[in-house]
Amino acid sequence: MIQFSHVSKTFKRNQVLDNVDLKIELGERIALVGSNGAGKTTLIRCLLGQYTHNGVVTVNGLVPRSERSKVLQKIGFVPQLPPPLKMPVSQLVGFAAALCNSEQKRMEDVATRLGLDLRKISRLPFVKLSGGMKQKLLISIAMGRDTNILVMDEPAANLDPDARHIFFELLAERLENTTMLISSHRLDEVASLVNRVLEMDRGKVVLDDRVDDDASLSGKLVCRLALRRPEAAIAKALSGWGFRDVGNGTEWEGLIAGPDRLRFLGMLSRYVGLLTKISMDESASSGNQ
């Protein structure tokens, strides 16, 4: 489906991609990880046809640089940094739908599921939206398109816990017929989403590893915590995750999206001295989602 053959890219005297050979098949969910400057973004931009380069990139046999319109019709893209677009939200959604011959209603439906009411913000310029609203809208446009390739750069970074869970559900609904390339500088942020890990360093793919594909993208975990004493900092953090206080500040309970468990535990690690007990059990409703 996606093929990189001896792809190299140099900016002035700095070689950013160094003879990359890579093949990505339908249905693979790939974490593209590496430190800043490793070449991840440049690789994605070559895939999107934004850069000239040595070597060959193809998407279903099409060359992105010379057949960019056809290639972009096949790809839903969520950038890390939202573009500074001044057009109103309604115009942006309409333009995006027309560009890829997709139904605008599909994008609106995804936005609704993510908790974004497009009617209320239809006249607002995209650039005036909050970071979370921009991210929800870009995800809605990408996942509402009639495409089987999703390329996402830190896609859930600005989402609240409820929206993250819906986002994972949306991904779960497309597991069978969609290729996903998720770029991140932290593997623990995306580990539960993927079945293949590609690590880049200095423009090369230094690790290409298959991982267990048994994580539920739509499931939830019931999490219960006990603390030594009430503490404002962890109370604020847990409230941000949608947890509720069930014991005068020392006992908390909430739901965690399955793919978010590592991220949640990373947050808790900052307060490990306060924790006396933690349990995480699969929600009874997970199997019905």
Side-chain angles (χ1 to χ4, degrees), residues 13-262:
R13 297 183 179 180
N14 181 29
Q15 187 165 30
V16 183
L17 295 179
D18 186 2
N19 200 38
V20 174
D21 283 307
L22 185 61
K23 187 176 183 180
I24 300 173
E25 300 289 357
L26 179 66
E28 290 190 303
R29 304 192 307 276
I30 295 174
L32 182 63
V33 300
S35 60
N36 291 334
K40 306 187 303 297
T41 298
T42 302
L43 189 75
I44 287 175
R45 290 183 175 178
C46 290
L47 173 62
L48 298 175
Q50 296 178 1
Y51 287 159
T52 58
H53 53 81
N54 294 327
V56 178
V57 179
T58 57
V59 178
N60 290 339
L62 301 173
V63 177
R65 187 65 182 173
S66 59
E67 301 173 278
R68 193 174 179 196
S69 295
K70 292 181 180 179
V71 170
L72 292 182
Q73 287 182 5
K74 301 177 180 296
I75 297 177
F77 176 52
V78 181
Q80 180 182 11
L81 298 176
L85 300 175
K86 296 182 179 180
M87 69 174 64
V89 168
S90 59
Q91 183 179 342
L92 174 59
V93 175
F95 172 77
L99 188 65
C100 58
N101 297 319
S102 295
E103 295 181 15
Q104 184 171 331
K105 187 177 184 303
R106 290 178 56 179
M107 299 177 182
E108 294 170 348
D109 289 345
V110 174
T112 298
R113 289 181 62 179
L114 288 169
L116 186 64
D117 189 342
L118 294 185
R119 292 172 299 178
K120 292 183 178 180
I121 62 172
S122 62
R123 297 184 179 181
L124 288 178
F126 176 80
V127 73
K128 295 293 185 180
L129 302 180
S130 68
M133 294 172 74
K134 289 177 182 176
Q135 196 74 354
K136 290 177 182 179
L137 182 56
L138 291 174
I139 290 172
S140 301
I141 290 173
M143 301 197 72
R145 301 178 69 176
D146 185 16
T147 176
N148 58 3
I149 302 175
L150 291 174
V151 179
M152 300 172 283
D153 198 348
E154 307 284 359
N158 292 317
L159 299 182
D160 57 79
D162 288 341
R164 286 175 67 91
H165 178 66
I166 298 300
F167 173 61
F168 297 142
E169 285 186 344
L170 290 166
L171 293 181
E173 293 168 5
R174 303 181 64 159
L175 294 185
E176 298 299 324
N177 61 357
T178 303
T179 297
M180 303 178 192
L181 182 62
I182 307 172
S183 176
S184 177
H185 67 282
R186 292 183 56 184
L187 179 58
D188 62 343
E189 289 281 337
V190 295
S192 299
L193 298 175
V194 302
N195 53 23
R196 183 180 176 189
V197 177
L198 297 173
E199 182 177 358
M200 296 192 68
D201 185 40
R202 297 183 181 182
K204 290 180 175 289
V205 176
V206 295
L207 173 70
D208 185 350
D209 193 22
R210 307 281 174 172
V211 298
D212 290 337
D213 191 18
D214 59 357
S216 171
L217 291 179
S218 59
K220 285 189 175 182
L221 301 172
V222 178
C223 182
R224 299 177 179 87
L225 305 173
L227 307 178
R228 297 184 188 280
R229 62 182 184 277
E231 180 70 42
I234 191 172
K236 181 178 180 180
L238 290 171
S239 296
W241 280 82
F243 274 56
R244 59 190 182 95
D245 181 356
V246 294
N248 297 319
T250 61
E251 295 182 11
W252 292 79
E253 183 175 291
L255 291 175
I256 301 295
D260 250 350
R261 62 190 184 275
L262 291 178

